[in-house]
Amino acid sequence: MADNTGTIRMGMIGAGWIAQDHKRVLGSLAEAELVAVCDLDNERAEALASGTGARTYQDWLDLLDDLAPLLAGQQIGLLLGTSIGPTQSRPWFVDMRAGGGNLLERGSHHLDLARTVAGEVASVQTAAGRVRLARSGGEGGDIDDALTMMLELTSGALATIVVGWTKPGQPGHYGLDIVASDATLRLALDPDFTLTGVSAGQPVDKRAASQPMERSMSRFLRAVRERDPAAVVCTPPDAAATLAVAIAAERALEVSRAVPVYAS
Ligand SMILES: NC(=O)c1ccc[n+]([C@@H]2O[C@H](COP(=O)([O-])OP(=O)(O)OC[C@H]3O[C@@H](n4cnc5c(N)ncnc54)[C@H](O)[C@@H]3O)[C@@H](O)[C@H]2O)c1
């Protein structure tokens, strides 16, 4: 909500690990101010709010680019997404029922990316490895550390997504390779965010102008300022469509065969 100086007043629900990043990004944006923080754990809410003047709450109810032109006119045939690297182990993250494991928590980003680049998903197959990469055998949790998902898109294209959770300190590998009728492109994700390759016989060498989390926060603030729900890049129905693919992928793991996606 914008005040009469035009500053957008933001509230955050959940004051955990990722909220620290959101607070840092918000702090760098002159147009926004953190005014409320909500967490079931009041100490966490207070810690996140410190230095900002934000009010704290314990119940959230109290707290009221650029790929498309390069591929225009082309048919995408193949995607290969990789999300391999360490991430913080939170109690719910290692509990499949609570957090959805690496498939939902990390793989969903790539499911979303595949839909954004190449369109809707018709069916999905999933396999999980049995080797523990990120934890020793005695450590708790029931999630799979390594997963592969194979998506059949409604366009007829194929996408493979590989997710691997590794030990802290091991180098990460995050990216998407795109093979189209007249293009071979590599999107490198984190920390560099570059797009390289060849499209229609021309070399492609692009670098994101700003950090994606910063950009998505700025876009969200713009949508709020302009009261324009259409300016929100990922709408709730879009998020639900990605969730439908993730749910089909979970089901595919249970039944060991391809599962159709019914996005509503
Ligand atoms: N988009 C991304 O790149 C990205 C990265 C990391 C996490 N996430 C998502 O962000 C969310 C938070 O992740 P995290 O790593 O910060 O987890 P976390 O466990 O470190 O923190 C979550 C916080 O939310 C609080 N909380 C839980 N239920 C609440 C409720 N009903 N009301 C208020 N507070 C509540 C908890 O007490 C905890 O402090 C998760 O959904 C995760 O999937 C997204």
Side-chain angles (χ1 to χ4, degrees), residues 19 22 30 46 50 54 62 69-70 88 95 105 129 135 143 173 180 209 250:
H22 290 310
E46 293 286 352
S50 73
D62 291 344
L70 285 174
Q88 182 119 334
D95 179 343
E105 170 69 359
R135 294 160 293 167
I143 64 171
H173 193 293
E250 280 183 349

Side-chain angles (χ1 to χ4, degrees), residues 78 88 147 248:
L78 196 58
Q88 182 119 334
L147 291 156

Side-chain angles (χ1 to χ4, degrees), residues 4 7 10 13-14 27 29 40 72 86 91-92 125 138 165 174 182 191 211:
N4 53 14
T7 304
M10 300 278 295
I13 303 172
L29 298 171
L40 296 175
W92 54 265
Q125 296 181 45
W165 181 30
Y174 307 94
D182 204 11
Q211 219 272 350

Side-chain angles (χ1 to χ4, degrees), residues 37-234:
V37 174
C38 171
D39 199 296
L40 296 175
D41 179 335
N42 199 42
E43 268 182 35
R44 282 190 174 190
E46 293 286 352
L48 193 78
S50 73
T52 67
R55 282 186 64 182
T56 57
Y57 301 81
Q58 277 183 276
D59 183 343
W60 67 271
L61 288 171
D62 291 344
L63 186 153
L64 261 165
D65 48 321
D66 201 19
L67 263 181
L70 285 174
L71 295 166
Q74 297 192 34
Q75 212 177 357
I76 294 172
L78 196 58
L79 299 176
L80 172 61
T82 47
S83 177
I84 300 169
T87 194
Q88 182 119 334
S89 171
R90 291 87 94 201
W92 54 265
F93 174 66
V94 292
D95 179 343
M96 187 67 189
R97 281 178 64 82
N102 279 295
L103 191 159
L104 188 68
E105 170 69 359
R106 305 178 79 199
S108 57
H109 290 288
H110 267 280
L111 297 176
D112 215 26
L113 188 57
R115 288 186 54 247
T116 302
V117 172
E120 292 307 332
V121 179
S123 70
V124 53
Q125 296 181 45
T126 312
R130 282 172 291 138
V131 175
R132 279 197 161 193
L133 297 170
R135 294 160 293 167
S136 58
E139 285 179 78
D142 63 349
I143 64 171
D144 299 306
D145 291 6
L147 291 156
T148 300
M149 290 178 267
M150 195 182 84
L151 319 179
E152 189 190 335
L153 284 90
T154 53
S155 65
L158 269 190
T160 298
I161 295 168
V162 180
V163 184
W165 181 30
T166 58
K167 290 197 173 71
Q170 283 186 222
H173 193 293
Y174 307 94
L176 182 72
D177 287 294
I178 304 158
V179 182
S181 46
D182 204 11
T184 299
L185 297 167
R186 169 163 290 182
L187 181 64
L189 304 164
D190 205 2
D192 285 338
F193 302 100
T194 57
L195 181 68
T196 53
V198 172
S199 178
Q202 298 299 312
V204 175
D205 191 355
K206 289 168 171 278
R207 181 171 290 271
S210 59
Q211 219 272 350
M213 197 183 270
E214 208 172 287
R215 215 167 56 235
S216 57
M217 184 77 86
S218 295
R219 285 177 177 178
F220 179 72
L221 292 172
R222 190 175 347 124
V224 172
R225 192 181 327 107
E226 293 169 5
R227 295 170 189 271
D228 180 7
V232 176
V233 181
C234 180

